[in-house]
Structures are given as C-alpha cells and as structure tokens.
Amino acid sequence: MNGHEHHDHDHPPDAAETRDAGSQALAEALSSSFTIVKIVMGLMVIAFACSGFFQVGPQEKAVILQFGKPVGVGEKMLLGPGLHWSFPYPIDEVVRIPITEIQTVTSDNGWYFTTPEQELSGEELPAGPSLNPAIDGYALTADHSIVHTRATLSYHITDPIQYIFNFVSASNAVQNVLDNALLFSAAQFGADDIIINDITRFQEAVQQHAEDLVEQDNLGIAIDQCTVQSTPPRQLSDIFAAVTEARQKRAEALNEAHNYENRMTNNATATAENLINLAQSSKFNYVTNLVAEAKRFSDILPYYQTNSSLYMQQTFVRMLGPALTNVQDKWYVPVRADGEPYQLRLQLNREPPQPKTGATP
C-alpha cells in the first residue's frame, strides 16, 4: 500500500521569536532591578535623614557648622538641651560645648622634669648636681633666686561663642594665660615669700593675673580656682630645710616672748585695776564717813551754841559713863570756887597690908 506516514516533529523557534523572548526577560529583570534600587535608595535617604538627629545634654550647648561656618547669628546659633537635627557630616558638623563642666589646665613650665608615672606613684628621680635647662623648668623670683613652681587652674565656659569661634584652640589659650600668670607673679615675689612666708598671697596673685588676662583676651570663661605648688631647687633642699628650721625656731621664740609679754601685761593690768578699785573704794568710804561726821556736827551745832557748858557736861557724862561702868573705885574731884586745883594724892599700890608679927619673948 502506497501510503504516506505522517511524523510530528518540534520545529525550532525562528530568530524573531527568540529575540522577543530575550527582550521580555531583560525588561522584566531591569524592572525588578530598578524596583530594588528605588527601595535601597529610599532606605538610604531615610537612613541619611535619620542620621542627622542628635541629642544635646542638659549641661551642654551645641553649634552646627555648615561647611565650616556656624548656622545662625548670635545667641540663635546656640542650641539648648534636647533633640535637634542637622545635615549629616560632611555637610554639617555638630560642636558640643560643655558650659557647666569644670575644666582644668596645668602649668608646669616652672617645674623640674618628672614623668606622669612618677607623679602617680609619688616617686622622684634623684636630683642631679645642677639644673638641666633642657628638661628642668624653673621660675625667677624678685630677689634673683630660682624656685620650682606649678599651678592648676579650674574654669568653666561662660560665653561659648567667644570660646569656640574666637580662638583656634581655646584650651591652649587658657594654658598660655596660666603660664604667663605664674611666671609673671613669681617675678614679683621673693623666694622665701613664694615657698614659706606668703604662700597664700602668691597664689592669689597668680589667680588675679590670670583673671586679668582672661578678661583682656575675652576668652569667654570664668576662673573657679587656682592652686599653686612651689618648692626650692632640689639641689638646695638641705640648705632651705636648715633655713626653714631656723625660722621656725625664731618664730617659736618670738611667740613665747609675746606670750610672756601678754601674761605679764595682763597681770600688771589686773593688779593696777585692783589697786585702783581699792583706792576708789577707800576714797568712797572716807568721803562717806566725812560727810556723815560733818552732818552729825552740823546737827549738834545748834545745841552747843545754845548752852555750851551744859552740852559739854552732858557729852562728858555720856562718853564717860560706859568707860566707868566696870571700874572698881571711883573718885570725884569737885571744882574749887577760886578755880585753883585740888592736890590729889592716890595710892596706886593696892596690895593688901602685911599682918604684924608678934614680939619674940
């Protein structure tokens, strides 16, 4: 039988169909990629925006610098405590200013060489035969001596704008102020005053000069405290110790002398006051008695003037009566009419007479 077999064969797609399928797949891939890119970019924008939030503490002020220049004018450029936003770095930069925090600087230009580890441990290297100007600092005094001195200054910021924008490094400016004040003040005092005699006044002078320089330079800070430590050169410590001991003994001797002086003066004052009080008391009693006697005589004067003889006899009897109360014998001598006195003879020997003895036969 002459028949034809029919076979079904898959025919490969032609070139046009292949290109259409590839284009469609590419379009779908690009669409998915753009979607992902959009999502990533959105997330990046959100993250970029959120990274601009910052917090200012309760004891801080903040300033936003946009390309290096402050944003705002005057007090408006200062941001107070709370949450704020700025463009992230490098567009904006946030500078925080600790306005209430106590900051310190130390001036050791006039101090001998020591390391931080030795400062913490309290250990010192032995002093050499002389100062080494390359590493050892010192200060010249008014009496042309040399001392070691250093100071620590505590301060807080009062004008953040002046402190931040008027100086490249305000802390270095404060350091220079303290160095200047310490060396200048040392040149106004003698070595003994700085080390022994007038430590407090020297410290006050350093702080006052530092405050004057701060005000002159308009640093925008206020000084809270300045402490100064001074010591003689270590090469002369034995000599200074001997001088100090001699001065202490002198001061003790002077104190003892002053105490003795005070005791003697107080005793003499007390004695003098006692004598004066006694004299015044005696004077008062004497004057009082005189006044009383004078009054008594003034009171009896009229009686005397009325009958002087009678008054004298009455007074005589009144005064003599008490005296004769306990007398054993009494004699009354009358007055003679012619005024001549009687001749009175008294036997003063009152011994009883001896009995007579009989005659002997």
Side-chain angles (χ1 to χ4, degrees):
M1 158 174 121
N2 295 327
H4 298 281
E5 278 185 22
H6 179 72
H7 298 281
D8 292 331
H9 296 285
D10 294 332
H11 298 283
D14 56 12
E17 293 177 351
T18 302
R19 285 196 300 271
D20 291 341
S23 298
Q24 184 177 0
L26 179 60
E28 292 176 355
L30 289 177
S31 176
S32 301
S33 299
F34 281 128
T35 302
I36 295 173
V37 169
K38 289 178 181 179
I39 294 173
V40 171
M41 290 184 64
L43 293 175
M44 290 180 63
V45 169
I46 294 173
F48 181 81
C50 291
S51 66
F53 288 99
F54 62 93
Q55 183 77 26
V56 178
Q59 298 179 345
E60 294 179 330
K61 294 286 187 181
V63 176
I64 298 176
L65 300 180
Q66 194 168 78
F67 299 114
K69 295 182 179 181
V71 177
V73 179
E75 293 295 330
K76 293 183 178 180
M77 72 174 61
L78 294 175
L79 302 178
L83 185 65
H84 302 274
W85 184 87
S86 67
F87 287 104
Y89 186 83
I91 299 175
D92 288 349
E93 179 183 0
V94 178
V95 178
R96 289 179 171 82
I97 307 168
I99 56 174
T100 59
E101 179 183 349
I102 302 300
Q103 305 186 50
T104 60
V105 293
T106 300
S107 172
D108 54 5
N109 286 347
W111 202 252
Y112 53 85
F113 174 75
T114 182
T115 63
E117 291 77 11
Q118 292 170 351
E119 289 285 342
L120 292 175
S121 63
E123 180 184 359
E124 293 184 357
L125 293 175
S130 62
L131 293 177
N132 184 356
I135 58 175
D136 291 328
Y138 57 86
L140 294 176
T141 63
D143 53 1
H144 309 293
S145 297
I146 290 177
V147 297
H148 294 303
T149 183
R150 61 182 175 183
T152 299
L153 187 71
S154 302
Y155 68 94
H156 65 275
I157 301 171
T158 56
D159 190 337
I161 298 175
Q162 294 288 346
Y163 186 80
I164 294 297
F165 298 110
N166 282 12
F167 301 92
V168 175
S169 176
S171 60
N172 288 341
V174 178
Q175 177 75 60
N176 293 336
V177 162
L178 183 57
D179 293 341
N180 189 333
L182 183 62
L183 297 179
F184 176 83
S185 300
Q188 313 302 313
F189 287 78
D192 293 341
D193 294 333
I194 294 175
I195 298 172
I196 303 172
N197 298 333
D198 216 349
I199 300 175
T200 301
R201 195 165 69 89
F202 173 63
Q203 181 170 286
E204 291 174 350
V206 174
Q207 180 169 341
Q208 183 60 52
H209 192 65
E211 290 175 351
D212 294 341
L213 292 176
V214 166
E215 183 177 359
Q216 176 182 331
D217 296 341
N218 200 11
L219 286 175
I221 66 171
I223 295 176
D224 298 309
Q225 186 181 16
C226 180
T227 57
V228 181
Q229 179 184 1
S230 303
T231 184
R234 292 180 295 169
Q235 292 79 5
L236 305 176
S237 58
D238 294 340
I239 297 176
F240 269 85
V243 172
T244 302
E245 182 180 1
R247 286 178 175 168
Q248 290 176 347
K249 292 181 177 178
R250 174 179 177 272
E252 292 175 358
L254 287 175
N255 288 335
E256 291 179 359
H258 288 314
N259 292 336
Y260 178 76
E261 175 190 10
N262 292 334
R263 288 196 304 270
M264 296 302 296
T265 302
N266 293 337
N267 292 337
T269 302
T271 302
E273 290 179 353
N274 187 32
L275 292 175
I276 291 173
N277 291 334
L278 291 175
Q280 290 177 345
S281 178
S282 299
K283 171 187 173 183
F284 176 78
N285 293 334
Y286 186 73
V287 171
T288 302
N289 291 335
L290 286 179
V291 171
E293 288 293 320
K295 184 178 182 305
R296 189 174 68 85
F297 279 104
S298 298
D299 293 340
I300 65 177
L301 179 61
Y303 300 101
Y304 179 81
Q305 291 175 343
T306 301
N307 191 339
S308 60
S309 298
L310 177 60
Y311 180 79
M312 291 177 63
Q313 290 178 3
Q314 290 175 346
T315 303
F316 178 77
V317 171
R318 187 173 62 253
M319 297 299 295
L320 193 60
L324 298 178
T325 300
N326 298 323
V327 176
Q328 183 179 0
D329 298 325
K330 303 175 184 178
W331 292 274
Y332 294 95
V333 180
V335 180
R336 292 174 55 176
D338 56 1
E340 292 295 328
Y342 285 102
Q343 186 176 11
L344 181 64
R345 294 182 181 181
L346 298 177
Q347 184 180 355
L348 299 179
N349 186 3
R350 305 298 297 235
E351 294 181 1
Q354 296 294 330
K356 296 181 179 181
T357 59
T360 58

